[in-house]
C-alpha cells in the first residue's frame, strides 16, 4: 500500500468517534508486493513478458531470466538464492546474483516435465512424468527412479536424501530407487497429494473425497493429526502455527491452528477473496498489499457506512452526518471519522454537498452514493425529497371533520377507505370518499365528508392530490370506536338485552340510528314519541344482544354529532362461551360473557383459580388431553363449560430449495410450535438449523427429502424429490464467452453481473446448459442462478485472468502436409507462417488443433503463433526436418 495512505492512517490517532479513540496502530500495515507472481518463499516475484524477469520484493532489483519458463509453476526457488527453470525441453539451475547457469544434463526425450520437490539439505530434486518419479542431484545427475503404481500416491524428499512415499495405505521411507527402508505409518482412503512443511517435520496430505478434514502426518511421532477444516486453502506455516482459510456454509473463515497446543482460532470474513502470495496474504481487490499471517488478523477487510435519518426519506437541503466503521478480520469494529471518508455518485449527476463528513442532497432524486476510505468502498442508495410538514388530528367517533396541520396554502389530499369487513359496497355509508383541500395561512386544513362511516375505516392524508403525490410523509390512522358521553341532545336510559336500548330526546324528534352486531349492520330513522322516548329492541334482521353497538344522532345535527352506546348487560342467567377451543401449547383460555361474574377454573379436576378477568393465563402451557372446566353461578344454579385440549394439525410447506452437490437448504413455513424432522431416502438425518424457517439437509441431487412437522399426535408431511443432476462448478476467465455445464434439469439458467443479465438459457432434461455471453473484465463478480419450480442452485464467482497460452507442436518433415499443435487453451487463432507468408490459419476450438499446408523443404524455418481473444499470445519456431 502506498506510503501516503499509511500516513493518512496516522491521522486517525488524532480522531475520535463518540467515546472511542481511533489509532493507526489498531490497523495492520501491509507490505508492498510488486506486481507479478510471487515465487515460493524466495523473496522474488516473476513477471511474464518479453523478457521474463525476477524482481526482488524488498529492493526492487530486476534480473532477466536466461530462458523462457512461460508459467509460474515452471520456476522453483531452491532456497539458497538459486532457481530451477523449466523451459521448452530445457532445465537449468540459475543464480540471478552471480548470473551462473547450470544446464541439467537430462535427455529432452526422457519425458520429465514437472518438479515435485526440492531438498537443499540433501542436494536433490524430485521429478515426475506422471508414470514414474525420478530423483536427481542439483547438478542434474540421475540418482534413481520409482515407477508409479497408481494415480493415488504421493512422494516427497527427506533431508537424508531418501524418499517419503504415501502408497497403498502405507507411509514408507524408501531409497531413491524405490526399496522400502522403513514403514512409518498407515492410512485409510486414497492419497492424491502430499507436501512437506519445511522446518516442522510434518507433511500436509490431501485425500480423495476428504475435503472437509485437514490431514497432517508428523514424522517425529509417526502419528496422524486430523482436524475438521472444510476446503483448506492458502496454507502457510510460521513459528509453529498453521495459517489458512476454510470454507463452510458459504462463508470463508481465516484460521490459525497450533498443532502443539491444539489452539484453534477462526474469524468469518464472508466472501472476501483471500489469496496467498508467497509468505503473505492479500485481498483480491489489492494484491499489492501483503499481510503476514499474524498481522492479517488486524487487516481491515470491510467498510460499513450509515447515514442516519429520522424521516422516511432524506430531506433536500438538510445536512446529514455520515458514520463509517472499518471491520478487521478478527471482528474488531473500529469507527472511522467521517472526515476521512470521501463521497461520490456512482452514475447520475445530481448535485450534492460533502463537507467535513456531512452530506447534503440538493434535489428530489434517488442518489447512488459511493463512500470511500483507504482502498474500501461502500455503496448506499439514498432517496431525497422536499420536506413538507404534515400532521393528522386523531379522528374520533364515527366521523368528525378530518383535520391537521401542514405548510401554509398547501394542497392536502384526504381519503376515507372502508374497513375490511364492510362488504356491502352499494351502501352509501361505505363508499370511498376523498377530496383535495387547501390549508389556510396558518397551515391548518379541515374536511367534512359528505357521509358518515363505520369504525375501522382508514383515513389517509398526503401532500398533493389524488393524481399526484409528491412528498413524504404519508400518515395513516384508523377511526376507533369510543364511548362519547358529551351531549348531542340525546341521552341513553337503558342498554340491556331484555329492555333494549332506550333513548330520550325532544318530543317527536327524528333520530338517525345505526345498529351493528359483529360485521352486520342496519340503518334506520326513528321517531320519538310525545315524551321524547325511542325504544330499540331489534331491527329487521339484527336483534339486540350483548355487545350490540348503537350509534345515534338527531337528524338535523351534523354528522360529527353521532354518539355510541353498547349493550352490555342482561337479566337472564349468565351467558358465557369459549372464545376459542383450547389447543395444545396455549397458555391461556378466553371466555366471552355478558355479565361481570366470577369464574371458577379447573384443570384436570384441580381447582386453579377464581377470577373475573379473562383471558386467564396458566402457569404452564396446556398439554394434549388436558380437561379444562369453567363454572359460573347465578343464584342456586351453576353453569359449566368443559373442553378437552386437542392437538392440531400443523401447517407445513416448502417454499424454496437451494441445492448444492452435497446438501440442500430448505425454506419452510410451519406452525411456530411444531417440531420438525427431516428424512433423506426415508432415513432420519441431522440437519443444521439456520433460522426458524431455514434448514440445511445433507441431501444430494436425486435424493428424496421428506419433512415432517408434529404437534402432539398430529402431524403433516411434505416430500420432495431433488432433481438428479451433477452440478458443475462455475469458472470463467476474461477470455471466455461460453460456459457449458450441468445445473438443475429443465431449469431457467441466468448469468448476471450485478443486476445486468449477461445470458439466459434453458437447461436440458439432463441439466446440461450452454451460456453465451460477452467477455468480462478480470475481478468482475458474476452470479449464476438455476431455477426450476421450488428448486434453486446458485453460484457466485469472480472473473479470473485467462492463462498465458502454451504451445507444443509436432516437427514436420519435408513430406509433411500437416502439423499438430497442442495448447492449454481451447480458443484463439492459430497461424503458421514462413517469413511473411501465411501457410495456414485456423480458429482454435479445442486444446489440440491440426493445420494443413503444402509440404516445405528440409531446414525451412516456420513460425507457429497462437493469439487468444484478449491478445495473449505464444510463438514457436520450428524447422522442417
Amino acid at each position: 500500500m502506498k506510503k501516503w495512505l499509511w500516513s493518512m492512517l496516522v491521522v486517525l490517532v488524532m480522531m475520535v468517534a463518540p467515546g472511542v479513540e481511533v489509532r493507526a496502530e489498531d490497523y495492520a500495515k501491509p507490505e508492498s508486493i510488486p506486481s507479478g507472481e510471487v515465487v515460493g518463499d524466495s523473496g522474488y516475484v516473476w513477471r511474464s513478458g518479453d523478457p521474463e524477469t525476477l524482481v526482488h520484493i524488498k529492493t526492487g532489483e530486476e534480473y532477466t531470466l536466461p530462458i523462457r519458463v512461460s508459467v509460474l509453476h515452471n520456476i522453483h526457488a531452491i532456497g539458497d538464492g538459486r532457481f530451477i527453470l523449466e523451459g521448452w525441453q530445457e532445465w537449468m539451475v540459475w543464480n540471478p546474483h552471480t548470473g551462473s547457469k547450470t544446464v541439467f544434463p537430462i535427455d529432452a526425450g526422457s519425458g520429465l516435465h514437472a518438479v515435485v520437490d526440492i531438498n537443499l539439505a540433501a542436494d536433490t530434486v524430485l521429478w515426475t512424468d506422471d508414470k514414474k518419479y525420478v530423483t536427481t542431484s542439483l547438478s542434474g545427475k540421475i540418482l534413481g527412479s520409482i515407477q508409479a503404481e497408481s494415480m493415488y500416491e504421493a512422494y516427497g524428499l527427506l533431508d537424508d536424501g531418501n524418499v517419503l512415499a504415501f502408497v497403498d495405505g502405507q507411509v514408507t521411507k524408501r531409497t531413491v530407487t524405490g526399496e522400502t527402508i522403513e514403514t512409518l505409518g498407515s492410512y485409510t482412503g486414497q492419497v492424491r497429494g502430499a507436501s512437506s512443511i519445511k522446518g516442522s517435520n510434518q507433511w500436509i496430505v490431501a485425500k480423495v473425497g476428504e475435503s472437509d478434514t485437514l490431514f497432517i502426518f508428523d514424522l517425529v511421532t509417526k502419528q496422524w493429526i486430523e482436524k475438521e477444516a472444510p476446503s483448506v486453502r492458502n496454507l502457510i506455516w510460521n513459528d509453529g502455527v498453521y495459517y489458512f482459510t476454510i470454507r463452510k456454509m458459504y462463508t470463508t473463515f481465516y484460521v490459525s491452528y497450533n498443532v502443539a497446543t491444539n489452539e484453534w482460532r477462526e474469524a468469518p470474513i464472508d466472501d472476501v477473496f483471500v489469496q496467498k502470495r508467497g509468505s503473505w496474504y492479500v485481498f483480491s481487490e489489492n494484491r499489492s498489499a501483503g499481510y503476514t499471517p499474524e498481522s492479517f488478523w488486524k487487516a481491515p477487510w470491510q467498510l460499513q457506512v450509515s447515514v442516519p435519518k429520522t424521516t422516511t426519506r432524506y430531506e433536500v437541503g438538510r445536512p446529514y452526518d455520515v458514520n463509517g466503521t472499518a471491520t478487521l478480520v478478527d471482528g474488531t469494529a473500529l469507527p472511522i471519522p467521517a472526515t476521512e471518508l470521501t463521497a461520490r455518485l456512482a452514475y447520475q449527476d445530481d448535485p450534492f454537498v460533502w463537507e467535513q463528513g456531512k452530506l447534503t442532497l440538493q434535489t428530489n432524486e434517488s442518489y447512488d452514493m459511493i463512500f470511500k476510505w483507504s482502498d474500501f468502498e461502500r455503496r448506499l442508495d439514498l432517496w431525497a425529497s422536499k420536506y413538507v410538514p404534515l400532521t393528522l388530528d386523531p379522528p374520533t367517533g364515527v366521523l368528525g371533520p378530518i383535520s391537521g396541520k401542514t405548510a401554509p396554502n398547501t394542497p392536502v389530499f384526504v381519503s376515507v377507505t372502508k374497513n375490511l369487513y364492510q362488504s356491502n359496497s352499494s351502501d352509501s355509508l361505505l363508499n370511498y370518499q376523498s377530496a383535495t383541500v387547501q390549508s389556510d395561512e396558518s397551515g391548518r386544513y379541515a374536511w367534512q365528508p359528505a357521509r358518515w362511516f363505520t369504525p375501522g375505516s382508514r383515513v389517509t392524508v398526503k401532500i398533493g392530490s389524488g393524481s399526484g403525490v409528491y412528498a413524504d410523509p404519508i400518515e395513516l390512522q384508523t377511526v376507533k370506536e369510543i364511548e362519547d358521553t358529551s351531549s348531542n341532545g340525546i341521552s341513553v336510559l337503558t342498554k340491556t338485552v331484555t329492555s333494549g336500548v332506550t333513548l330520550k330526546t325532544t318530543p317527536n324528534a327524528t333520530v338517525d340510528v345505526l345498529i351493528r352486531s359483529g360485521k352486520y349492520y342496519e340503518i334506520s330513522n326513528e321517531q320519538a314519541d310525545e315524551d321524547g322516548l325511542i325504544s330499540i329492541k331489534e331491527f329487521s334482521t339484527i336483534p339486540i344482544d350483548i355487545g350490540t353497538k348503537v350509534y345515534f344522532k338527531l337528524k338535523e345535527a351534523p354528522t360529527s354529532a353521532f354518539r355510541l352506546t353498547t349493550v352490555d348487560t342482561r337479566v337472564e342467567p349468565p351467558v358465557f362461551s369459549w372464545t376459542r377451543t383450547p389447543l395444545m401449547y396455549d397458555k391461556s383460555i378466553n371466555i366471552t360473557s355478558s355479565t361481570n361474574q366470577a369464574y371458577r377454573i379447573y384443570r384436570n379436576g384441580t381447582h386453579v383459580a377464581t377470577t373475573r378477568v379473562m383471558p386467564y393465563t396458566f402457569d404452564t402451557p396446556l398439554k394434549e388431553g388436558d380437561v379444562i372446566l369453567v363454572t359460573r353461578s347465578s343464584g342456586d344454579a351453576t353453569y359449566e363449560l368443559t373442553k378437552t385440549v386437542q392437538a392440531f394439525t400443523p401447517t407445513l410447506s416448502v417454499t424454496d430449495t437451494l441445492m448444492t452437490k452435497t446438501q440442500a437448504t430448505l425454506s419452510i413455513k410451519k406452525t411456530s410450535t411444531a417440531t420438525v424432522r427431516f428424512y433423506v431416502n426415508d432415513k432420519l438425518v441431522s440437519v443444521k438449523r439456520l433460522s426458524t424457517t431455514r434448514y440445511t439437509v445433507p441431501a444430494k441431487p436425486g435424493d428424496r427429502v421428506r419433512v415432517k412437522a408434529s404437534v402432539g399426535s398430529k402431524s403433516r408431511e411434505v416430500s420432495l424429490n431433488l432433481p438428479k443432476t451433477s452440478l458443475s462448478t462455475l469458472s470463467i476467465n476474461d477470455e471466455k464467452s461460453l460456459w457449458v455445464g450441468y445445473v438443475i434439469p429443465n431449469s431457467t439458467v441466468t448469468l448476471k453481473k450485478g443486476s445486468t443479465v449477461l445470458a439466459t438459457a434453458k437447461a436440458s432434461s439432463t441439466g446440461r446448459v450452454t451460456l453465451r455471453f460477452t467477455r468480462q473484465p478480470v475481478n468482475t463478480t458474476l452470479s449464476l442462478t438455476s431455477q426450476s419450480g421450488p428448486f434453486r442452485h446458485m453460484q457466485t464467482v469472480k472473473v479470473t485472468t485467462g492463462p498465458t497460452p502454451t504451445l507444443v507442436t509436432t516437427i514436420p518433415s519435408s513430406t509433411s502436409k500437416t502439423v499438430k499443435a497442442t495448447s492449454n487453451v481451447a480458443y484463439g487463432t492459430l497461424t503458421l507462417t514462413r517469413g511473411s507468408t501465411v501457410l495456414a490459419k485456423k480458429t482454435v476450438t479445442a486444446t489440440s488443433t491440426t493445420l494443413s499446408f503444402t509440404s516445405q523443404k528440409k531446414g525451412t524455418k516456420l513460425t507457429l503463433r497462437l493469439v487468444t481473444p484478449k491478445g495473449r499470445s505464444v510463438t514457436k519456431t520450428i524447422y522442417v526436418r
Side-chain angles (χ1 to χ4, degrees):
M1 187 175 287
K2 303 291 185 183
K3 292 183 179 179
W4 68 265
L5 181 56
W6 289 110
S7 66
M8 291 294 290
L9 286 178
V10 174
V11 178
L12 294 177
V13 177
M14 307 301 296
M15 300 296 181
V16 292
V20 180
E21 182 181 4
V22 183
R23 302 180 303 274
E25 56 266 28
D26 291 325
Y27 303 88
K29 300 178 177 64
E31 297 181 40
S32 180
I33 306 175
S35 61
E37 300 296 333
V38 177
V39 183
D41 297 327
S42 67
Y44 288 84
V45 298
W46 167 73
R47 288 178 178 167
S48 60
D50 192 8
E52 296 175 279
T53 59
L54 284 184
V55 181
H56 194 278
I57 293 174
K58 299 292 186 181
T59 66
E61 296 175 275
E62 292 189 12
Y63 303 90
T64 301
L65 268 65
I67 61 174
R68 295 187 65 84
V69 298
S70 300
V71 289
L72 177 63
H73 59 251
N74 286 343
I75 179 170
H76 311 274
I78 294 177
D80 59 356
R82 293 181 295 164
F83 296 87
I84 293 178
L85 308 179
E86 295 182 58
W88 171 243
Q89 297 185 343
E90 183 179 13
W91 298 270
M92 177 182 294
V93 175
W94 172 56
N95 189 322
H97 296 283
T98 64
S100 65
K101 297 177 288 187
T102 303
V103 177
F104 272 91
I106 299 176
D107 183 9
S110 66
L112 298 179
H113 60 75
V115 172
V116 177
D117 198 3
I118 302 172
N119 194 304
L120 183 62
D123 193 47
T124 54
V125 181
L126 184 64
W127 305 73
T128 184
D129 64 353
D130 295 334
K131 295 181 180 179
K132 62 180 178 296
Y133 290 82
V134 177
T135 305
T136 72
S137 67
L138 282 173
S139 62
K141 180 182 179 181
I142 295 179
L143 304 177
S145 66
I146 301 174
Q147 196 69 26
E149 300 175 18
S150 74
M151 61 185 297
Y152 301 114
E153 56 191 49
Y155 297 86
L157 294 174
L158 297 171
D159 288 344
D160 59 5
N162 291 304
V163 176
L164 184 68
F166 296 83
V167 181
D168 290 337
Q170 298 292 320
V171 185
T172 57
K173 181 179 180 180
R174 299 187 182 188
T175 66
V176 293
T177 56
E179 292 80 16
T180 300
I181 301 173
E182 179 185 2
T183 299
L184 305 178
S186 62
Y187 61 88
T188 59
Q190 295 175 320
V191 168
R192 57 183 172 87
S195 59
S196 63
I197 304 300
K198 304 300 182 184
S200 70
N201 284 320
Q202 293 174 350
W203 288 66
I204 299 294
V205 179
K207 291 186 179 182
V208 177
E210 297 282 357
S211 62
D212 287 340
T213 304
L214 177 65
F215 295 95
I216 303 173
F217 185 75
D218 192 297
L219 285 177
V220 176
T221 64
K222 298 181 176 59
Q223 299 293 320
W224 285 95
I225 301 166
E226 297 183 12
K227 194 71 175 179
E228 181 180 354
S231 301
V232 171
R233 298 287 188 275
N234 308 310
L235 187 141
I236 296 177
W237 162 273
N238 186 35
D239 293 333
V241 180
Y242 286 99
Y243 297 86
F244 47 88
T245 60
I246 61 176
R247 180 81 169 170
K248 54 183 180 180
M249 294 307 295
Y250 313 112
T251 300
T252 299
F253 290 78
Y254 181 59
V255 177
S256 64
Y257 175 44
N258 189 319
V259 175
T261 63
N262 199 31
E263 181 181 0
W264 179 277
R265 182 185 179 192
E266 68 180 34
I269 50 179
D270 291 345
D271 286 317
V272 169
F273 187 58
V274 179
Q275 295 178 323
K276 182 172 78 74
R277 293 197 68 198
S279 57
W280 297 275
Y281 287 116
V282 300
F283 294 117
S284 61
E285 290 80 5
N286 186 3
R287 299 181 75 248
S288 65
Y291 296 87
T292 65
E294 183 57 36
S295 71
F296 193 71
W297 291 107
K298 290 298 182 180
W301 68 273
Q302 188 181 64
L303 173 66
Q304 295 291 343
V305 176
S306 67
V307 187
K309 64 181 185 301
T310 57
T311 56
T312 306
R313 295 180 181 176
Y314 294 91
E315 299 170 20
V316 170
R318 176 177 174 178
Y320 288 89
D321 291 321
V322 179
N323 301 321
T325 302
T327 302
L328 309 187
V329 169
D330 67 359
T332 303
L334 297 178
I336 299 171
T339 52
E340 298 298 317
L341 292 169
T342 60
R344 63 180 175 86
L345 289 168
Y347 304 110
Q348 69 272 30
D349 296 321
D350 303 310
F352 71 97
V353 176
W354 175 258
E355 293 180 345
Q356 296 297 312
K358 292 183 180 293
L359 177 67
T360 305
L361 309 176
Q362 302 289 352
T363 59
N364 284 10
E365 294 293 344
S366 176
Y367 291 78
D368 192 357
M369 300 294 303
I370 295 179
F371 298 91
K372 184 175 182 180
W373 171 80
S374 185
D375 288 326
F376 302 94
E377 290 186 348
R378 175 61 60 178
R379 184 187 297 258
L380 294 180
D381 187 20
L382 312 175
W383 182 269
S385 62
K386 295 180 181 177
Y387 176 74
V388 181
L390 177 65
T391 62
L392 172 63
D393 300 334
T396 59
V398 288
L399 184 64
I402 296 175
S403 60
K405 190 168 184 179
T406 183
N409 304 312
T410 299
V412 178
F413 179 68
V414 186
S415 62
V416 178
T417 308
K418 61 187 178 184
N419 57 22
L420 296 179
Y421 63 73
Q422 295 172 347
S423 57
N424 186 0
S425 60
S426 64
D427 194 292
S428 61
L429 295 179
L430 306 178
N431 289 338
Y432 173 83
Q433 303 176 62
S434 66
T436 297
V437 296
Q438 188 88 1
S439 63
D440 59 20
E441 293 295 328
S442 68
R444 293 292 301 177
Y445 66 89
W447 175 58
Q448 178 63 63
R451 302 176 299 277
W452 63 300
F453 54 89
T454 59
S457 295
R458 295 174 297 162
V459 176
T460 304
V461 295
K462 304 178 183 180
I463 300 298
S465 64
S467 60
V469 177
Y470 63 83
D472 283 345
I474 296 174
E475 298 196 6
L476 173 69
Q477 295 196 19
T478 302
V479 178
K480 300 178 180 179
E481 289 181 322
I482 60 172
E483 296 274 3
D484 192 339
T485 58
S486 61
S487 175
N488 70 342
I490 304 174
S491 58
V492 179
L493 301 183
T494 67
K495 50 178 182 177
T496 66
V497 173
T498 54
S499 302
V501 174
T502 304
L503 305 176
K504 182 173 178 57
T505 183
T506 56
N508 304 310
T510 301
V511 176
D512 288 337
V513 176
L514 180 143
I515 181 171
R516 184 168 70 82
S517 178
K519 65 179 181 179
Y520 302 103
Y521 59 91
E522 289 186 40
I523 305 164
S524 178
N525 297 122
E526 301 292 329
Q527 183 80 37
D529 61 17
E530 59 273 14
D531 296 320
L533 298 177
I534 298 175
S535 179
I536 305 171
K537 291 193 174 181
E538 66 176 22
F539 276 8
S540 60
T541 59
I542 301 178
I544 296 296
D545 203 347
I546 299 297
T548 298
K549 308 286 186 181
V550 178
Y551 301 88
F552 51 90
K553 77 170 185 68
L554 291 172
K555 187 174 181 59
E556 295 78 14
T559 55
S560 58
F562 271 100
R563 299 292 177 258
L564 165 67
T565 189
T566 304
V567 176
D568 56 10
T569 61
R570 65 171 65 240
V571 176
E572 289 84 338
V575 173
F576 58 109
S577 60
W578 297 103
T579 303
R580 183 173 65 81
T581 299
L583 297 174
M584 182 179 177
Y585 292 126
D586 283 350
K587 288 198 68 175
S588 61
I589 59 172
N590 199 4
I591 302 295
T592 299
S593 177
S594 61
T595 56
N596 186 19
Q597 289 181 293
Y599 303 90
R600 291 181 60 83
I601 302 172
Y602 300 83
R603 182 174 182 177
N604 296 326
T606 301
H607 176 255
V608 293
T610 299
T611 180
R612 294 177 180 271
V613 179
M614 280 293 165
Y616 170 77
T617 301
F618 295 93
D619 292 333
T620 59
L622 299 179
K623 299 178 181 179
E624 185 177 10
D626 282 353
V627 177
I628 307 301
L629 171 66
V630 180
T631 69
R632 296 182 82 172
S633 299
S634 179
D636 295 331
T638 300
Y639 300 86
E640 298 181 354
L641 293 175
T642 303
K643 285 288 184 182
T644 300
V645 176
Q646 303 291 326
F648 56 93
T649 302
T651 60
L652 176 65
S653 63
V654 178
T655 60
D656 180 65
T657 305
L658 181 62
M659 296 173 52
T660 68
K661 292 181 180 180
T662 58
Q663 60 192 22
T665 299
L666 276 60
S667 297
I668 67 173
K669 287 185 178 180
K670 70 175 184 70
T671 302
S672 60
T673 53
T675 57
V676 62
R677 292 179 175 85
F678 296 83
Y679 300 81
V680 176
N681 299 327
D682 294 325
K683 181 180 179 181
L684 181 65
V685 296
S686 297
V687 301
K688 182 165 185 177
R689 176 180 170 181
L690 305 180
S691 69
T692 57
T693 60
R694 296 183 73 239
Y695 299 82
T696 297
V697 182
K700 304 183 296 297
D703 287 344
R704 178 174 177 264
V705 179
R706 183 161 51 93
V707 187
K708 182 177 182 180
S710 302
V711 175
S713 62
K714 303 288 187 179
S715 64
R716 188 184 300 274
E717 291 188 3
V718 173
S719 293
L720 293 172
N721 290 318
L722 301 184
K724 188 174 183 180
T725 183
S726 58
L727 297 173
S728 301
T729 300
L730 181 66
S731 177
I732 296 176
N733 61 46
D734 62 346
E735 297 278 8
K736 289 187 177 182
S737 60
L738 173 73
W739 184 79
V740 179
Y742 285 86
V743 290
I744 297 174
N746 302 311
S747 64
T748 298
V749 186
T750 304
L751 183 68
K752 287 185 176 182
K753 176 175 67 177
S755 61
T756 302
V757 176
L758 299 180
T760 183
K762 184 78 171 181
S764 69
S765 59
T766 63
R768 191 175 190 273
V769 68
T770 299
L771 295 175
R772 301 181 186 275
F773 48 90
T774 57
R775 295 182 183 89
Q776 298 298 309
V778 174
N779 288 330
T780 299
T781 299
L782 302 181
S783 61
L784 180 138
T785 302
S786 169
Q787 178 85 49
S788 179
F791 302 106
R792 279 190 307 132
H793 172 67
M794 295 184 67
Q795 293 188 49
T796 299
V797 300
K798 282 186 179 292
V799 176
T800 60
T801 301
T804 301
T806 62
L807 198 57
V808 178
T809 179
T810 57
I811 306 300
S813 67
S814 59
T815 60
S816 298
K817 294 185 178 181
T818 61
V819 62
K820 183 178 180 180
T822 303
S823 178
N824 62 335
V825 299
Y827 43 76
T829 301
L830 188 64
T831 307
L832 179 66
T833 59
R834 183 188 67 238
S836 60
T837 302
V838 177
L839 300 179
K841 188 174 183 180
K842 195 171 186 179
T843 299
V844 174
T845 59
T847 56
S848 181
T849 305
T850 299
L851 291 177
S852 299
F853 60 97
T854 58
S855 57
Q856 302 293 309
K857 294 179 180 181
K858 182 178 180 180
T860 300
K861 179 182 177 181
L862 302 180
T863 302
L864 189 64
R865 179 177 174 84
L866 173 63
V867 181
T868 71
K870 295 297 287 185
R872 299 181 178 96
S873 65
V874 59
T875 303
K876 291 292 181 182
T877 300
I878 56 179
Y879 293 88
V880 177
R881 56 182 172 83

